[in-house]
Amino acid sequence: MDLVLRGTIIRKNIKFTKAESPDFTIHTENKNIFIECGSAHLSKPKLGDIKYKIYSVINKKSSKPYCDPTTALFIDITNIYYNSLINEILVERDEIREDVKNALEHTQFGNVILFAYILNKDLNRFESVYIRIDNKNTEETLLNFLNDGYPFSEHTVYNFAIPSDS
């Protein structure tokens, strides 16, 4: 995921530094903000509710020192969507948004964005789709960055395929 993120911020001519923890420092005129990347992944298919893998990533990352209102947590959930499709229990956007919002309230992260890569069969192209969830404590500079690069919007693809992994 960080290659896609890196490409996005380079195209937008945003100054950044790539590191390990957190993964990206975004340099703005006002102050630095941060992005940590992660992924929720199943090594083998499981029956039932698999959203716990997303909460596991949030919980693990929330214990890190960079977990604060200036940091966004970007999580690749392509594999989770793939497995939910195989189990014929597709994770609904509004349900996952509400569940992650509740989990986010127990952290200091300013935001979580869940990404999935899909094949849009109608347009014959791969796309990155996302669900944005802001915490109530989101720092203003981070909020401005997110509003510019990852606005709240709806994008529905009816004829799609989901790869098993990003």
Side-chain angles (χ1 to χ4, degrees), residues 105-151:
E105 288 177 357
H106 300 284
T107 78
Q108 290 299 309
F109 279 118
N111 164 277
V112 169
I113 297 184
L114 306 173
F115 288 90
Y117 298 94
I118 64 169
L119 172 62
N120 183 330
K121 292 181 178 182
D122 292 329
L123 299 176
N124 196 31
R125 69 177 185 198
F126 276 101
E127 297 179 354
S128 172
V129 295
Y130 64 88
I131 300 170
R132 175 178 159 183
I133 305 104
D134 292 342
N135 205 348
K136 59 184 172 240
N137 68 343
T138 309
E139 198 277 327
E140 185 178 355
T141 306
L142 177 60
L143 202 54
N144 292 336
F145 171 80
L146 294 168
N147 287 339
D148 181 51
Y150 303 92

Side-chain angles (χ1 to χ4, degrees), residues 12-37:
K12 289 183 172 265
N13 204 26
I14 296 171
K15 294 178 185 172
F16 72 96
T17 304
K18 173 70 176 101
E20 275 306 308
S21 291
D23 293 307
F24 291 91
T25 300
I26 307 296
H27 308 284
T28 71
E29 291 178 18
N30 300 331
K31 68 188 306 184
N32 290 340
I33 56 172
F34 308 93
I35 299 172
E36 174 65 10
C37 298

Side-chain angles (χ1 to χ4, degrees), residues 34-117:
F34 308 93
I35 299 172
E36 174 65 10
C37 298
S39 67
H41 184 87
L42 289 170
S43 55
K44 58 185 178 180
K46 272 192 172 172
L47 296 176
D49 189 2
I50 55 178
K51 293 181 299 210
Y52 74 92
K53 293 297 282 188
I54 298 168
Y55 314 136
S56 174
V57 174
I58 294 170
N59 288 335
K60 180 180 175 189
K61 301 278 188 179
S62 69
S63 67
K64 304 293 183 182
Y66 52 75
C67 177
D68 68 28
T70 64
T71 304
L73 178 58
F74 286 18
I75 305 173
D76 179 351
I77 61 168
T78 304
N79 178 266
I80 299 302
Y81 264 113
Y82 172 79
N83 279 287
S84 73
L85 193 61
I86 286 176
N87 292 339
E88 297 178 351
I89 312 171
L90 191 60
V91 179
E92 294 294 328
R93 180 176 40 214
D94 291 338
E95 175 188 347
I96 199 167
R97 180 180 282 131
E98 195 59 36
D99 288 350
V100 170
K101 183 177 182 180
N102 290 334
L104 186 59
E105 288 177 357
H106 300 284
T107 78
Q108 290 299 309
F109 279 118
N111 164 277
V112 169
I113 297 184
L114 306 173
F115 288 90
Y117 298 94

